[in-house]
Amino acid sequence: MLPSKASLGDSSCSPKNPFVILLSSLLQSPESFALSSSSPSSSSPLTNRRTVKMPAIMMDKPGSGAQFKAKFTFYVFLCCIMAAFGGLMFGYDIGISGGVTSMDDFLIKFFPKVYVRKHQVKENNYCKYDNQYLQLFTSSLYMAALIFTFFASYACKKYGRRPTMRAASLFFLGGVILNAAAINLTMLIIGRILLGIGVGFANNAVPLFLSEIAPARIRGGLNILFQLLITVGILVANLVNYWTSGIHPSGWRISLGLAGVPAILLCVGSLFIAETPTSLIQRGHLEEGKATLRKIRGTPNVDAEYNEICRACEAANLVKHPFRKLANRRNRPPLVIAIVLQIFQQFTGINAIMFYAPVLFQTIGFKNDASLLSSVITGLVNVLCTMVSVLYVDKVGRRVLLLEAAVQMLISQVGIGTILWINLKSANSLHHTVAVVVVILVCTFVSCFAWSWGPLGWLIPSETFPLETRAAGYSFAVSSNMLFTFIIAQAFLSMLCHMRAGIFYFFSGWIVVMGLFVVFFLPETKGIPIDEIDRIWRQHWYWKRYMDNADAEPKVHKEQAATV
């Protein structure tokens, strides 16, 4: 059979310089939290190396396969937080765009026609912001991310997760400088493209990094740190927009310039984390990979897990063309799931709401400050409810959260659409009470997305691909997300103008489709070690037909490995 990949979800980082060694030694405190687990040991042909032990929580890997000692050390948690700053960077950009595009000073400088239309009393409520260049300001980032996510996949495999994250932060910083200093639309768009390259690199590397270092039992919770910091970034951006909206005429420059802060945090954080053991071993750094594994596990007894990683990496290195490998029949289930989840995530309508929340609230009658404040409220709801996913994704499972959210989102979207259809005509404003109800429904929608389709859209693809196609497969997931984010960002304001309140019924229809997809086609991955993910496809009523010939391939790989 194909070598097992249990350890791929449980690898992490190790210091490579004196500053990190000092930091890790400081973290060896009695306050480190610990959980205990039993694990079989196995001998390793490789030389044992002495590593620092850290008090930690020992955890059992659930599942029917091998179990390894998996201590959740504070150092691992610190690595996760530092890596997840990539989510903060992405989230801040999502939140800042809508607020900036609603600021008069910004519109006067770059989009004067939109500014004039915004203040015309008789202008159609639904069409005030319908401008392709204004939408291009938001969407250009996602087209760049779509293209460069494939370069990021290559970088992840060739150079590792950590350098890819560092490259992401540097590209992003370049875009921030151009945006904050922009004097014309061309400069603004080029800056957005650089931001998009950074987002494409970060969104590839960070979720893979988090999935590879996390013990299987809490892999979901740790991976969702990425989504949690996306929501924190959105909230921070909304607060910044609310503050800078009163600073004239350059408040928008401050908003765009502060996007550099999370990029700097990610860049600095990447200096204090090392590569995951999986990436190190796959690239031939065997001893360093083993030392890193011992470091993050807090135990010298890592031979069994190390051997599993070596076997998985040996099989993965036999695959010279991972993108071609994805076309194999047995890789179709995770590939389809990864792409479809990204499409569904965007067609919930969430980014339409998060990008353009201030614009949307102004459309229904809120003044500028009130609309920005409403965006802050939805951003806060987003952060708090993402915590629900962190706490419960590994308890109740992925499917339960997705299905509950589909029902709640459907009710919210239909409610918003119905209220606007009845009450908001071309040139009137909503009554204050009705407008507040719309905000409540938006918060209800955002809350359930935050604990389901938001984080799980990133988590599930990162844990379902085998190692040999993981970076390539995940790049397809990221590129699909960026493609449909681009489509929504570029089209939403025009759709709002032409479909009016009907746009919310449009998204409602998609929510019904995605709920049915989860019921019939999405298997549960809760608590299953990555090396055993194949068995969920074999046991699934539909996907098992793609695994019928899966046993033949491992034999070939095994024979090839024996000759290497």
Side-chain angles (χ1 to χ4, degrees):
M1 292 188 66
L2 189 66
S4 176
K5 301 175 236 351
S7 48
L8 302 182
D10 297 77
S11 44
S12 184
C13 42
S14 166
K16 281 188 175 183
N17 59 64
F19 299 103
V20 185
I21 295 173
L22 175 62
L23 176 63
S24 62
S25 65
L26 291 174
L27 293 175
Q28 300 173 48
S29 64
E31 290 77 23
S32 297
F33 30 100
L35 280 158
S36 97
S37 143
S38 64
S39 158
S41 62
S42 73
S43 60
S44 171
L46 300 177
T47 305
N48 290 331
R49 292 177 61 179
R50 184 172 174 270
T51 57
V52 181
K53 296 182 180 179
M54 289 185 291
I57 300 180
M58 300 284 294
M59 305 183 62
D60 278 322
K61 268 190 174 182
S64 60
Q67 294 181 341
F68 307 114
K69 286 184 178 180
K71 296 183 177 182
F72 179 37
T73 64
F74 184 73
Y75 182 68
V76 170
F77 178 73
L78 188 65
C79 287
C80 290
I81 292 294
M82 288 181 174
F85 280 136
L88 184 68
M89 187 174 75
F90 183 34
Y92 185 90
D93 183 81
I94 292 175
I96 215 68
S97 301
V100 165
T101 53
S102 70
M103 293 181 185
D104 286 348
D105 293 324
F106 180 79
L107 294 176
I108 291 169
K109 186 166 186 64
F110 297 106
F111 307 99
K113 292 181 180 179
V114 177
Y115 173 78
V116 172
R117 190 187 306 159
K118 173 183 174 181
H119 292 279
Q120 285 179 347
V121 177
K122 294 183 179 180
E123 179 62 33
N124 190 317
N125 274 322
Y126 293 100
C127 299
K128 290 180 179 180
Y129 293 89
D130 181 19
N131 181 281
Q132 288 300 310
Y133 289 109
L134 181 62
Q135 293 174 113
L136 182 63
F137 166 73
T138 299
S139 64
S140 55
L141 180 151
Y142 300 96
M143 181 53 70
L146 162 66
I147 295 170
F148 281 87
T149 186
F150 295 103
F151 293 94
S153 170
Y154 176 80
C156 274
K157 183 175 181 180
K158 179 74 174 178
Y159 304 107
R161 281 50 164 158
R162 187 178 79 155
T164 306
M165 287 188 280
R166 190 176 306 148
S169 64
L170 295 176
F171 278 120
F172 200 87
L173 278 171
V176 167
I177 293 170
L178 282 178
N179 274 183
I183 57 176
N184 53 50
L185 186 58
T186 300
M187 196 171 174
L188 202 64
I189 299 301
I190 293 174
R192 294 289 293 175
I193 291 172
L194 286 176
L195 293 177
I197 297 173
V199 166
F201 272 64
N203 284 17
N204 259 276
V206 173
L208 288 179
F209 180 92
L210 295 174
S211 283
E212 288 183 352
I213 74 169
R217 189 173 180 179
I218 56 168
R219 184 175 65 237
L222 286 183
N223 190 283
I224 288 171
L225 284 174
F226 177 68
Q227 177 67 20
L228 177 62
L229 286 190
I230 288 178
T231 64
V232 171
I234 293 171
L235 175 61
V236 170
N238 289 332
L239 290 169
V240 169
N241 280 334
Y242 185 67
W243 166 56
T244 59
S245 64
I247 301 176
H248 303 287
S250 299
W252 61 270
R253 292 190 188 275
I254 298 174
S255 291
L256 295 177
L258 287 177
V261 174
I264 292 171
L265 290 174
L266 178 63
C267 187
V268 173
S270 69
L271 300 174
F272 288 88
I273 59 177
E275 203 48 81
T276 66
T278 300
S279 180
L280 288 168
I281 293 169
Q282 187 178 16
R283 290 182 291 117
H285 305 290
L286 302 183
E287 288 302 311
E288 186 179 355
K290 189 172 186 179
T292 298
L293 190 61
R294 286 173 167 170
K295 171 71 174 177
I296 65 172
R297 294 294 176 254
T299 174
N301 187 17
V302 296
D303 289 345
E305 185 173 2
Y306 174 73
N307 290 336
E308 289 294 324
I309 296 178
C310 286
R311 283 194 289 269
C313 291
E314 184 179 43
N317 287 334
L318 292 174
V319 178
K320 302 302 180 184
H321 304 286
F323 285 99
R324 192 180 303 167
K325 177 76 172 177
L326 278 174
N328 287 2
R329 182 178 175 84
R330 67 188 304 270
N331 284 315
R332 205 164 301 168
L335 182 61
V336 170
I337 293 289
I339 293 175
V340 169
L341 284 182
Q342 301 306 316
I343 296 172
F344 284 163
Q345 187 189 70
Q346 295 311 307
F347 278 90
T348 59
I350 184 62
N351 275 341
I353 289 176
M354 300 311 292
F355 287 151
Y356 301 114
V359 171
L360 180 62
F361 290 135
Q362 284 188 18
T363 295
I364 64 177
F366 286 97
K367 299 301 181 183
N368 191 53
D369 287 350
S371 70
L372 290 172
L373 183 58
S374 297
S375 300
V376 171
I377 293 171
T378 58
L380 182 60
V381 169
N382 198 14
V383 172
L384 295 177
C385 291
T386 302
M387 291 298 298
V388 174
S389 190
V390 173
L391 296 174
Y392 289 100
V393 67
D394 292 311
K395 295 180 181 178
V396 303
R398 283 67 162 153
R399 282 168 52 88
V400 170
L401 292 177
L402 290 172
L403 290 172
E404 185 282 331
V407 174
Q408 189 173 329
M409 287 191 296
L410 178 62
I411 294 171
S412 301
Q413 289 277 29
V414 171
I416 294 169
T418 301
I419 290 174
L420 297 185
W421 188 276
I422 294 172
N423 295 280
L424 187 63
K425 308 303 178 184
S426 294
N428 72 312
S429 295
L430 290 182
H431 185 277
H432 178 72
T433 303
V434 178
V436 169
V437 172
V438 172
V439 173
I440 292 173
L441 286 172
V442 169
C443 289
T444 302
F445 172 83
V446 169
S447 68
C448 55
F449 178 88
W451 65 57
S452 60
W453 291 91
L456 300 185
W458 297 108
L459 167 62
I460 293 172
S462 73
E463 64 185 3
T464 51
F465 285 102
L467 176 61
E468 61 264 26
T469 57
R470 186 172 303 154
Y474 197 74
S475 71
F476 269 97
V478 175
S479 63
S480 299
N481 184 284
M482 295 301 128
L483 172 61
F484 285 92
T485 302
F486 169 81
I487 292 172
I488 293 295
Q490 186 64 29
F492 175 72
L493 294 179
S494 297
M495 291 171 68
L496 182 64
C497 178
H498 292 90
M499 298 175 68
R500 303 192 178 190
I503 192 172
F504 296 99
Y505 295 120
F506 169 80
F507 289 130
S508 298
W510 278 98
I511 291 171
V512 172
V513 173
M514 64 183 68
L516 293 174
F517 182 86
V518 172
V519 170
F520 294 107
F521 297 106
L522 185 67
E524 181 58 69
T525 57
K526 179 188 73 171
I528 301 176
I530 290 182
D531 71 308
E532 296 184 7
I533 288 294
D534 271 3
R535 69 181 170 90
I536 68 172
W537 311 122
R538 296 176 188 278
Q539 295 169 2
H540 192 270
W541 72 274
Y542 180 78
W543 299 120
K544 65 182 180 182
R545 69 189 66 186
Y546 294 96
M547 309 302 291
D548 291 343
N549 298 321
D551 288 327
E553 290 185 60
K555 292 179 182 178
V556 175
H557 290 161
K558 190 172 182 180
E559 291 172 3
Q560 290 175 331
T563 63
V564 174

